Amino acid sequence: MRQTAIGTTGVKTGAIAYGCWRFTESTMQEADAKIRTALDVGMNLIDTADIYGFGEAKGFGGAEAVLGDVLEAAPDLRAKMFLATKGGIIPPRPYDSSYDYLMQALDDSLKRLKTDHVDLYQIHRPDLMAPVAETARALNEMVSSGRVRFLGVSNFSVAQTRALQAHLDTSLATVQPEFSALEQSPMTDGTLDWCSETGATALVWSPLAGGALATGQTDHPRGSAVLNVLDRLAQSHNVQRSLIALAFTMMPAAKIIPIIGTQNLDRIRESAQATAIELSARDFYDLVEAYRGVPMP
Ligand SMILES: NC(=O)c1ccc[n+]([C@@H]2O[C@H](COP(=O)([O-])OP(=O)(O)OC[C@H]3O[C@@H](n4cnc5c(N)ncnc54)[C@H](OP(=O)(O)O)[C@@H]3O)[C@@H](O)[C@H]2O)c1
């Protein structure tokens, strides 16, 4: 698979990543098959979070724990992946990015994942109560202790990202906003511009709008306009609509890695084909116009 640089770290990963949010029902054997399938097609950036599993049978930490079981049973897999996790959401509070909480959260994540380090640690959502200097102190120590290689944020505004960056010893490698043909705000709210400014990579979540762009089931006001353009492009490229939707997310000028979330092995394999699809500039702007509901000025 084509490779994409992770920030200015010098490290590259597959151009599409695999996410474990929906691992909540997976047995260890099922999770093993999904991870191996993702790695086989080149999706070596594996994204999880401590909160994944909360509210489901596995509970807080459940998705990390099942991935940790996979890694314990097949330790050779760890070196094949660029492992990313997140912390900082703790219901019902709901967020905590204090120094003490984050240091403990990382310890707990490493124990569940059964690894001595993660490649990327991301603050999952901004904690409006935590002074950024204190959050940054925790993140700086995570890196200096060798337990975290690189840092990222998720669902931060550009101003929040910049404020945190000002207190960090290293450059944020990634941001993680929602981005898809049905959620295009990172192109206009400054998120992708901040990535271009600093060299950070955008890992983007729900690139199929949580499945809506594959199933066609959406009540988004621009849903049918966007689906119509995706269908036309799918027909002309002779591929499934979901692949056009994935290809769209990789088109803006910034470095973008979509994180897919299918639990279906065939769909994991098939998604990898999106990196070979070449949409034209007109195709791209047709999807932007369908989302905005007006022609480009
Ligand atoms: N930072 C954050 O706040 C945040 C929030 C949400 C997600 N994430 C990350 O982003 C990852 C992906 O999110 P997501 O699961 O919402 O992504 P997604 O790829 O947009 O949606 C995946 C969903 O689409 C469904 N789907 C239906 N038809 C499909 C098709 N033809 N091809 C592919 N999928 C199809 C899948 O069902 P099947 O399983 O039946 O295929 C699955 O339920 C998560 O695992 C997580 O790592 C981060």
Side-chain angles (χ1 to χ4, degrees), residues 16-219:
I16 297 179
Y18 186 63
C20 305
W21 176 33
R22 299 178 192 269
F23 260 21
T24 47
E25 302 293 321
S26 294
T27 63
M28 198 266 270
Q29 288 73 17
E30 289 164 347
D32 178 271
K34 292 168 200 174
I35 293 294
R36 284 179 194 274
T37 304
L39 293 176
D40 281 351
V41 295
M43 297 177 194
N44 65 324
L45 195 163
I46 305 294
D47 181 71
T48 188
D50 57 11
I51 189 70
Y52 295 167
F54 178 82
E56 316 272 342
K58 290 190 197 300
F60 186 97
E64 283 187 335
V66 76
L67 181 56
D69 291 345
V70 169
L71 293 175
E72 187 177 46
D76 60 307
L77 293 182
R78 176 66 187 90
K80 295 180 181 166
M81 65 176 65
F82 183 94
L83 179 57
T85 195
K86 317 179 197 78
I89 299 183
I90 177 77
R93 184 183 159 112
Y95 310 130
D96 195 344
S97 287
S98 63
Y99 174 87
D100 288 343
Y101 176 80
L102 287 178
M103 296 312 273
Q104 187 62 50
L106 173 65
D107 273 356
D108 295 345
S109 285
L110 293 177
K111 278 193 197 100
R112 283 188 293 263
L113 289 164
K114 301 191 175 72
T115 184
D116 61 357
H117 75 284
V118 289
D119 298 291
L120 182 70
Y121 194 80
Q122 304 154 98
I123 302 292
H124 206 152
R125 285 191 179 270
D127 175 6
L128 306 178
M129 289 176 65
V132 283
E134 182 179 333
T135 303
R137 183 161 66 91
L139 294 173
N140 287 334
E141 271 186 44
M142 289 179 184
V143 174
S144 63
S145 68
R147 294 182 304 158
V148 167
R149 289 175 71 200
F150 309 118
L151 299 170
V153 292
S154 181
N155 305 303
F156 273 45
S157 70
V158 173
Q160 288 166 333
T161 308
R162 197 167 271 144
L164 179 63
Q165 180 62 74
H167 296 272
L168 291 173
D169 298 337
T170 54
S171 296
L172 285 164
T174 61
V175 297
Q176 191 176 138
E178 181 180 6
F179 180 57
S180 71
L182 262 193
E183 177 41 274
Q184 299 188 12
S185 45
M187 290 200 287
T188 50
D189 67 8
T191 302
L192 295 185
D193 303 307
W194 187 84
C195 289
S196 299
E197 181 184 330
T198 64
T201 300
L203 309 179
V204 301
W205 60 267
S206 293
L208 300 181
L213 294 177
T215 62
Q217 286 162 359
T218 173
D219 53 11

